[in-house]
Amino acid sequence: LLSYLSDLPYALWVRGDVDILSLLAATVIMLLLYYARDVCSYFMSKVSCLSGVSKATENRMFGCFRLLLSLLLLSLIFQPLLFGNHQGFNQAEYQLSVLDVGQGSAAVLLTKNHALVFDAGAKFSDRLNAGSGVVIPYLRTQNIRQLDHLIISHGDADHIGGAQAIIDEYPQVRVIGQDVEKLVAEHKQVCIAGMKWQWDGVDFEFLSPNPRQLTISASNARNNHSCVLKVSSIYGSILFTGDIEKKTEKQLLRNHRQQLAAD
């Protein structure tokens, strides 16, 4: 029976972080529920003193009052869990969180209605995976139920290692990047300079690589075909550079000098 129930849709509901005020409120309510009998006894003693009701009537009133109070408190206990507390963004606002994945990189960018992960950290073993051990837990705390884009700058293990775990958790995610051929995903696409889109007033554009950089050779290391992504809005800008080296840096300065400035 439990196996059947666990396979049903939404058997696991990830709520996200609960803020400290909600936790304190729930704690107070739980204490009131625990001491509901004492609280009810106190109020009922006041009522009986004022109204002079019989003992039998008092007991019935006490039982009914305690039941109603218990139900009310029980419903309130779960209030913080039912209503989201994640602060929304206004148009053109976004939040960047750079995650600590040790060797490698992983970052999460959120806009008003969208979510993007840039790089996925490393997979050191089946039990130590930055995708499942760091990125996904963070997305859950932010109550992210749909991930729009997973961008892999390039195929080095410390950037792509955790990608498959993220894809398995969010199978509808669009994977964009370099060296993503071996990833099992429904939507895969190579990043190319000039690709751009806009989410909620936030602009995204790939500045590199250009098609000539996609071939890996002795003179063009894998690092140099990293996806370089510029994110910008009226509130500020970010430049994701992957692991580009001097050769690509010079090309960017030559071709995109005005677009490289970032906060």
Side-chain angles (χ1 to χ4, degrees):
L1 176 61
L2 291 178
S3 296
Y4 167 76
L5 293 175
S6 68
D7 289 334
L8 293 176
Y10 300 103
L12 173 65
W13 178 36
V14 179
R15 159 63 182 80
D17 277 349
V18 179
D19 63 76
I20 187 65
L21 292 179
S22 296
L23 287 175
L24 289 174
T27 302
V28 171
I29 292 170
M30 290 172 69
L31 288 172
L32 287 174
L33 179 61
Y34 185 77
Y35 292 107
R37 184 181 181 85
D38 298 324
V39 173
C40 289
S41 297
Y42 173 78
F43 283 109
M44 290 308 300
S45 66
K46 296 296 183 182
V47 171
S48 61
C49 289
L50 293 174
S51 61
V53 297
S54 67
K55 191 65 176 179
T57 303
E58 178 186 330
N59 289 337
R60 287 195 296 271
M61 291 176 61
F62 172 72
C64 181
F65 182 74
R66 184 175 61 181
L67 176 61
L68 292 175
L69 181 61
S70 299
L71 292 174
L72 175 63
L73 294 177
L74 274 171
S75 65
L76 292 176
I77 286 175
F78 293 100
Q79 181 274 332
L81 306 179
L82 297 177
F83 299 96
N85 70 295
H86 180 65
Q87 183 177 2
F89 303 106
N90 295 320
Q91 190 73 0
E93 290 182 341
Y94 63 92
Q95 171 184 292
L96 172 67
S97 301
V98 180
L99 307 182
D100 183 358
V101 292
Q103 173 69 23
S105 68
V108 177
L109 191 146
L110 306 178
T111 69
K112 185 177 182 180
N113 297 301
H114 297 278
L116 173 151
V117 170
F118 191 97
D119 280 341
K123 179 181 179 180
F124 300 101
S125 68
D126 291 337
R127 300 182 63 183
L128 185 58
N129 183 325
S132 59
V134 178
V135 180
I136 292 174
Y138 177 76
L139 292 173
R140 287 175 175 172
T141 67
Q142 299 301 298
N143 202 23
I144 301 302
R145 302 181 183 183
Q146 178 177 334
L147 182 63
D148 297 283
H149 285 176
L150 169 61
I151 298 176
I152 302 299
S153 62
H154 63 300
D156 283 357
D158 54 348
H159 293 257
I160 200 174
Q164 191 61 57
I166 298 173
I167 295 169
D168 293 342
E169 181 74 11
Y170 300 93
Q172 298 302 315
V173 65
R174 180 173 295 278
V175 180
I176 304 175
Q178 298 296 334
D179 312 308
V180 298
E181 298 82 8
K182 294 183 179 180
L183 295 175
V184 181
E186 292 185 19
H187 311 286
K188 291 188 291 187
Q189 186 176 5
V190 175
C191 67
I192 294 292
M195 287 176 55
K196 62 178 67 175
W197 69 94
Q198 186 183 82
W199 285 341
D200 308 317
V202 182
D203 295 307
F204 300 79
E205 182 178 3
F206 285 110
L207 305 182
S208 185
N210 61 55
R212 294 189 301 274
Q213 291 175 286
L214 296 182
T215 302
I216 301 173
S217 62
S219 61
N220 188 35
R222 182 190 302 275
N223 287 349
N224 278 324
H225 78 173
S226 294
C227 303
V228 176
L229 177 66
K230 177 69 176 292
V231 182
S232 57
S233 80
I234 58 175
Y235 295 109
S237 56
I238 296 167
L239 188 67
F240 292 103
T241 60
D243 279 348
I244 59 172
E245 300 174 3
K246 189 178 298 184
K247 177 181 179 180
T248 299
E249 290 174 358
K250 289 182 177 179
Q251 291 175 346
L252 285 169
L253 285 168
R254 184 166 58 250
N255 299 327
H256 301 283
R257 179 178 293 272
Q258 299 302 318
Q259 295 168 275
L260 295 179
D263 297 298

